[in-house]
Amino acid sequence: MTSSSAGTVHLAVYDTFADWETGYATAHLTQNGYTVRTVGLSREPVTTMGGLRVQPDLALDELRPQDSALLILTGASGWDTGETLAPFARAARTFLDAGVPVAAICGATAGLAREGLLDYRAHTSAVSFYLAATGYAGGERYVEVDAVTDPGADGTGRLITAGPTEPVAFAREVFALLGVYDAKKLDAWYRLFHDSDASAYEVLQGE
């Protein structure tokens, strides 16, 4: 699979974004032919929660759903301390309305809840009461799982959500959605990186 055939995945970056939450997803997408491009509020550098300096590839106002296979939103302190990151939640709405999927983990799920994007979609997060504190109307659609993909309806895009301790399950859902691995290899990938099952390595190598 080449980058031109696989397409481009956009990763939102902002100050204090939780860099460990998407490491599995972005690394293995890149290894399987995807191009990962970072998107900031502007093109000014940001600093991750881990202290890494990231120069965004493009600004949010340059991002178009038709140029993307997926938009990924990570956790960050800004999701719970004001409206700074609200433009990313609005961008998620634009993507979903255009039929392009979105994947959100940790605090980004609260941002989507405040935007009303979880009111009618199956979703998860850190814990149910974290999202309940946003005042959203989707509590009945909360699912107690490590990560979940809502299939979308009426032409809207699929939505992945996960809690902050589930970067491997989050990546699994991303790979399933994009068809990165077939079912057998996806199960092996998850067993290898989540369960440290060394026997799964041979399956991934096609043996």
Side-chain angles (χ1 to χ4, degrees):
M1 186 180 292
T2 65
S3 58
S4 59
S5 63
T8 299
V9 168
H10 288 92
L11 171 65
V13 295
Y14 22 76
D15 284 329
T16 76
F17 95 83
D19 36 14
W20 68 91
E21 291 176 345
T22 61
Y24 288 100
T26 55
H28 290 272
L29 285 171
T30 299
Q31 290 173 25
N32 284 277
Y34 282 84
T35 298
V36 176
R37 301 195 72 200
T38 53
V39 184
L41 284 170
S42 71
R43 290 191 178 221
E44 291 299 310
V46 299
T47 303
T48 74
M49 198 172 291
L52 302 180
R53 189 172 182 269
V54 177
Q55 178 79 54
D57 294 313
L58 67 160
L60 188 57
D61 61 8
E62 300 173 89
L63 179 65
R64 301 187 303 171
Q66 60 265 38
D67 297 332
S68 187
L70 174 71
L71 173 63
I72 300 177
L73 304 174
T74 73
S77 59
W79 288 113
D80 297 316
T81 57
E83 296 295 315
T84 303
L85 300 184
F88 286 102
R90 292 193 290 271
R93 177 180 293 280
T94 300
F95 266 61
L96 294 172
D97 287 348
V100 181
V102 172
I105 185 170
C106 188
T109 61
L112 298 192
R114 294 186 183 95
E115 183 64 19
L117 296 176
L118 304 185
D119 289 352
Y120 305 104
R121 293 177 172 91
H123 61 276
T124 193
S125 185
V127 287
S128 60
F129 56 80
Y130 170 63
L131 292 186
T134 68
Y136 84 132
E140 292 185 355
R141 303 301 305 276
Y142 189 90
V143 186
E144 292 284 358
V145 294
D146 50 10
V148 64
T149 300
D150 181 87
D154 300 324
T156 62
R158 291 171 287 176
L159 175 64
I160 295 170
T161 49
T165 61
E166 300 296 342
V168 179
F170 183 68
R172 177 196 62 201
E173 297 299 304
V174 168
F175 302 155
L177 185 150
L178 295 177
V180 174
Y181 299 114
D182 62 31
K184 183 177 180 181
K185 285 193 173 183
L186 182 62
D187 174 71
W189 184 91
Y190 185 75
R191 287 188 288 110
L192 178 62
F193 288 97
H194 187 267
D195 304 326
S196 299
D197 181 354
S199 68
Y201 181 77
E202 293 184 358
V203 178
L204 282 174
Q205 297 304 304
E207 299 177 4

